[in-house]
Amino acid sequence: MSIASPKTSADRPARVLPAGLDQIIPADRCQQDAASQAAFESDGLTAFRSKPLAVVYPVTSEEVVAIVRWCASNGVPFVARGSGTSLSGGSVPVPGGIVIALNRLNQILRLDADDRYAVVQPGVINQHVTDAARPYGLHYAPDPSSQSICTIGGNVAFNSGGAHCLKYGMTSNHVIGIRGVLSDGQEIQLGGPTLETVGPDWTGLFCGSEGLFGIATEITLRLLPSAEAFHTVLVGYRSLEAAGDAVSAIIDSGLLPGAIEIMDALAIEAAEAAVACNYPPGAAAVLIVELEGPAEKLACEREELEAILQRTDPFAVHVAANSEERLSIWKGRKSAFSAVGRISPDFLVQDGVVPRSRLGEALKEIERISKASGIRVANVFHAGDGNLHPLILYNGSIDGQWERAEEVAAEILRMCIAMGGSITGEHGVGLEKKAFLPDMFDEPTMQLMKRIRQAMDPSLISNPDKMFPGDSTH
Amino acid sequence: MGGRTKPALSAGDSFQTIDTSGLTGVVEYEPSEFTFTARAGTPIEEIERMLGEKNQSLPFDPVLAKQGATLGGTVAAGVSGPGRFRYGGVRDFVLGVQLVTGDGQVVHGGGKVVKNAAGFDIPKLMVGSLGRLGIMTQLTFKVFPRPRSSTTLAARCESHVQAIGQIRRAARGRWEAGAIDYLPDDNTLYIRLVGPAAALDGLAKEASETFHAQRLSEASADAFWQSFLSWECWEGSPWVARVPLTSQQFLDLIPELQQLGVRSHLSCAGGLLWLGGDAETLVSCHELFARQGLTGLLLRHIGTDSFGDVCVIGKPWSHEPARRLQKVFDPDERFPSLTGCVVAGVEHIEGNVRE
């Protein structure tokens, strides 16, 4: 079995757009020209491409509902899209379908500092929520590396994560209400402004449904108080294994850092080339640990952390002295994905999860796979929660390299499943990993999930072809 | 049915009872992974003891542990304690579930690792599902290190309005409060601070000054939180319910509730009201919630027959997407229905009351 071939989507014949869409949306917000089609043909995972019949730009929730109802009446599949940063091909257009671009639904409708929640439209940029909440001493916790461009709608669809998941959880842990429309035009209101609800957690089910149910038009987010202070440490190690052992030592101590991240030598090389982040020269791996909280608490915990780190045989320990230094440490880490573009023409990012205690074993196995295939793999990962991000480097213009890269990715995914982990920690299944979902879930569970999808999207027009293997609606 | 600690959630006599209290035992516990897996009938108390030995805990403060509440029942009821405010609720700590659907299929949702975005989040859907979507047989949870120490401050407030102001301030403050609860009947605000003991002294001193609060002795603090977690505080109340609301909705509601003689406990920094009262006050509360657009969950009712199998009071919940998904999980309608636990309609109750 291999990763879904990048050619699959293009094989389908394009259809002609049925009449009537211009009754709902003015011509200047319904683009069918070749340039628009090309601009939306792929997302953050550029290996997959498929041109939509049209790209529509609704500006109100009512327009979204009307467009979805038009799609339902005419059997036109659609994919809702924000900034298109999906790394699993989740927002690649559906052949014969339209793209509903939600970027213009970008208003923060309400920010309630008293009860600490925000109601936002799906096109709001992740970082903008925290920017708006900061004056009230609040922030929005989920922080994907793409947070300066990715949208909340996309975060909800793919249950995005970030560097702070061990302590704060993922997007779904911070979404408390959703208003939206199912693919058959039924409007829904799930949850609301309160942390607790009565009845099944429909909001939790909607998060991470990868756009297969319909479109969220208003999302209620939980806001948390901003930490008073941070203690960010950058530690250099002579081996990747030593960095991994340090993670275990920190976890076993009972500390709960906001973030624990590791980058290996190749990832460091790329980050240095891209943003000159000044990580310790010659490091085989760097560890970033960040504690956060009231100053008094940090004063206790930083001593404890220092003692632990001293026992892990580091060759360089750098504590951020101020917020500029802290941001500089994070800049290297957050730029890692785009930075590998400096050292390789093409790359695939994997997102598997392994039990934390097997991280060392997993990294050795990745190294073995890489050597055997001749494909370089750079490693960046959320070490605190066992979420790997192997960056598989290849050159698409060299014959056979893509195939070898995808086989490396497939081997890594199979390893994650075999270790009792997951094929995706935060990027979603999307188009890319759908062939692997049945390896994680048994047949009755796959059938149940398909029935859930069918109940929410009876005509299978809402982002079809994603998540489930062999799923075809045309 | 597990420990039968929240009897109002069980369906009536027309259904065959499946007793899951024998389905016990920890399947896997890996402290360094921050996860454990146990059978659904395992008592919470047993889990807390196991976690405590490794200085870990379920940070949402499960209720009724000492009374025999089980893991499965806690998930099905979707009920969290005061720690919900800071760390998240049951929904935020359940990672995986094994369940039997209405057509007898055994399915496995979620996973066993702390981070997982593959497939639909069936474990979360089980939270608050009241046993009406499937019978949970095994659950995997995420756990956290137990705070090194904690201390509780208590402050008398001049009014509910002032109390809400203090709650809002505490919830946004720098202290990282672990829980913020308020007892409207004696106007007392309780703030729990957690962290290393050396840090708590300074934080508690400053917070005490800010909120004009007294630091409680360890014994008094334990007694207060335990009385809430064990429902001792509802002794003498034939019914107990919980209603999610905003802090403004609380202020709108509380005068009438106090007039009715209904007792209450505001948890989750103003976001969740627990209530209990005499049998005859339940219908009035239901009407009051319905008028305010609030939906509540009735967890216990004794001698309030008018509610029968109903456990959802106030504004009925929407039948979407319950209608669609009940068919998916239970095509042959073997479980009591999600829509059946809702009062038939506000009009219906109002009609009864007028009679």
Side-chain angles (χ1 to χ4, degrees), chain B residues 96-210:
Chain B
V97 63
Q98 179 190 69
L99 72 143
V100 182
T101 56
D103 51 349
Q105 297 288 325
V106 179
V107 299
H108 302 80
K112 287 187 172 174
V113 281
V114 293
K115 198 172 181 187
N116 175 21
F120 297 138
D121 200 337
I122 295 170
K124 275 205 183 59
L125 183 62
M126 290 301 115
V127 177
S129 64
L130 306 173
R132 270 115 169 130
L133 292 176
I135 301 169
M136 286 176 266
T137 49
Q138 190 167 300
L139 288 151
T140 299
F141 277 87
K142 167 173 154 173
V143 300
F144 270 172
R146 195 165 56 177
R148 300 282 162 84
S149 62
S150 72
T151 191
T152 299
L153 311 176
R156 283 300 285 268
C157 301
E158 289 161 19
S159 64
H160 301 316
V161 173
Q162 194 226 357
I164 289 295
Q166 300 281 56
I167 288 172
R168 290 169 176 173
R169 192 169 175 197
R172 285 215 306 264
R174 70 176 202 92
W175 307 279
E176 272 198 355
I180 305 172
D181 283 29
Y182 173 63
L183 290 192
D185 301 326
D186 48 13
N187 291 86
T188 308
L189 174 65
Y190 293 85
I191 301 173
R192 184 165 72 199
L193 301 177
V194 293
L200 283 192
D201 283 337
L203 286 170
K205 188 166 177 290
E206 188 198 275
S208 297
E209 284 163 14
T210 307

Side-chain angles (χ1 to χ4, degrees), chain B residues 95-345:
Chain B
L95 297 173
V97 63
Q98 179 190 69
L99 72 143
V100 182
T101 56
D103 51 349
Q105 297 288 325
V106 179
V107 299
H108 302 80
K112 287 187 172 174
V113 281
V114 293
K115 198 172 181 187
N116 175 21
F120 297 138
D121 200 337
I122 295 170
K124 275 205 183 59
L125 183 62
M126 290 301 115
V127 177
S129 64
L130 306 173
R132 270 115 169 130
L133 292 176
I135 301 169
M136 286 176 266
T137 49
Q138 190 167 300
L139 288 151
T140 299
F141 277 87
K142 167 173 154 173
V143 300
F144 270 172
R146 195 165 56 177
R148 300 282 162 84
S149 62
S150 72
T151 191
T152 299
L153 311 176
R156 283 300 285 268
C157 301
E158 289 161 19
S159 64
H160 301 316
V161 173
Q162 194 226 357
I164 289 295
Q166 300 281 56
I167 288 172
R168 290 169 176 173
R169 192 169 175 197
R172 285 215 306 264
R174 70 176 202 92
W175 307 279
E176 272 198 355
I180 305 172
D181 283 29
Y182 173 63
L183 290 192
D185 301 326
D186 48 13
N187 291 86
T188 308
L189 174 65
Y190 293 85
I191 301 173
R192 184 165 72 199
L193 301 177
V194 293
L200 283 192
D201 283 337
L203 286 170
K205 188 166 177 290
E206 188 198 275
S208 297
E209 284 163 14
T210 307
F211 299 103
H212 305 291
Q214 302 290 321
R215 192 168 170 179
L216 297 183
S217 70
E218 214 177 305
S220 320
D222 277 356
F224 168 71
W225 296 112
Q226 271 310 321
S227 141
F228 177 49
L229 290 176
S230 67
W231 284 17
E232 272 163 47
C233 62
W234 305 119
E235 223 173 75
S237 295
W239 65 271
V240 176
R242 65 193 270 289
V243 185
L245 38 51
T246 64
S247 54
Q248 185 57 51
Q249 284 171 327
F250 163 76
L251 289 175
D252 296 342
L253 203 64
I254 192 69
E256 276 192 76
L257 287 175
Q258 291 193 314
Q259 219 161 35
L260 286 169
V262 171
R263 290 187 289 144
S264 59
H265 177 129
L266 186 64
S267 196
C268 246
L272 180 70
L273 191 65
W274 288 75
L275 318 104
D278 294 338
E280 63 273 17
T281 57
L282 181 53
V283 172
S284 312
C285 278
H286 160 68
E287 292 175 311
L288 182 57
F289 298 152
R291 274 203 305 278
Q292 302 265 5
L294 296 169
T295 306
L297 184 67
L298 192 59
L299 295 158
R300 171 167 90 190
H301 63 84
I302 305 160
T304 49
D305 291 343
S306 57
F307 279 77
D309 292 347
V310 168
C311 57
V312 177
I313 56 173
K315 182 188 165 193
W317 59 32
S318 162
H319 286 194
E320 287 287 0
R323 183 182 56 81
R324 296 171 190 243
L325 290 178
Q326 185 119 28
K327 275 189 202 139
V328 169
F329 281 84
D330 184 21
D332 310 321
E333 299 179 17
R334 293 188 188 280
F335 300 135
S337 88
L338 276 169
T339 46
C341 49
V342 180
V343 175

Side-chain angles (χ1 to χ4, degrees), chain A residues 115 201 296 356-357 422, chain B residues 32-33 84 91 116 174 247:
Chain A
D115 284 343
D201 189 354
E296 294 89 334
R356 183 173 36 227
S357 58
S422 172
Chain B
S32 66
E33 297 294 338
R84 200 292 171 221
R91 73 184 299 262
N116 175 21
R174 70 176 202 92
S247 54

Side-chain angles (χ1 to χ4, degrees), chain A residues 53-73:
Chain A
L53 289 183
V55 182
V56 294
Y57 296 88
V59 293
T60 63
S61 300
E62 292 73 23
E63 281 186 352
V64 174
V65 174
I67 293 164
V68 168
R69 287 182 178 159
W70 177 85
C71 287
S73 311

Side-chain angles (χ1 to χ4, degrees), chain A residues 207-398:
Chain A
C207 281
S209 59
E210 304 203 354
L212 269 55
F213 294 170
I215 300 180
T217 54
E218 279 183 28
I219 299 143
T220 305
L221 306 172
R222 169 193 186 205
L223 301 175
L224 298 182
S226 312
E228 179 184 41
F230 295 95
H231 176 70
T232 311
V233 192
L234 177 70
V235 195
Y237 289 97
R238 294 290 182 204
S239 76
L240 195 51
E241 203 176 351
D245 290 345
V247 174
S248 300
I250 295 166
I251 292 292
D252 292 341
S253 76
L255 287 174
L256 184 61
I260 312 179
E261 303 280 305
I262 291 181
M263 290 168 71
D264 74 359
L266 197 50
I268 298 167
E269 180 194 327
E272 289 290 355
V275 297
C277 47
N278 286 319
Y279 283 3
V286 292
L287 170 72
I288 301 171
V289 188
E290 185 166 273
L291 300 170
E292 52 184 33
E296 294 89 334
K297 197 175 145 211
L298 282 194
C300 300
E301 291 185 344
R302 67 179 288 171
E303 275 181 32
E304 197 176 335
L305 179 64
E306 269 157 32
I308 295 165
L309 290 175
Q310 281 313 320
R311 290 194 295 269
T312 60
D313 198 23
F315 78 93
V317 178
H318 175 68
V319 176
N322 50 45
S323 63
E324 285 76 41
E325 287 191 18
R326 170 178 178 249
L327 291 178
S328 159
I329 290 174
W330 277 113
K331 195 174 177 188
R333 166 61 188 88
K334 293 220 170 190
S335 69
F337 287 6
S338 50
V340 293
R342 299 285 185 115
I343 58 167
S344 174
D346 300 292
F347 66 94
L348 285 174
V349 186
Q350 278 305 308
D351 175 41
V353 182
V354 296
R356 183 173 36 227
S357 58
R358 300 185 73 174
L359 263 179
E361 196 184 332
L363 291 166
K364 271 188 199 144
E365 179 62 11
I366 291 174
E367 196 182 346
R368 189 198 62 76
I369 295 169
S370 166
K371 280 198 176 133
S373 65
I375 294 282
R376 289 191 300 166
V377 179
N379 284 292
V380 178
F381 46 96
H382 305 304
D385 38 36
N387 188 188
L388 307 165
H389 285 317
L391 297 152
I392 301 158
L393 314 182
Y394 70 98
N395 185 342
S397 61
I398 298 175

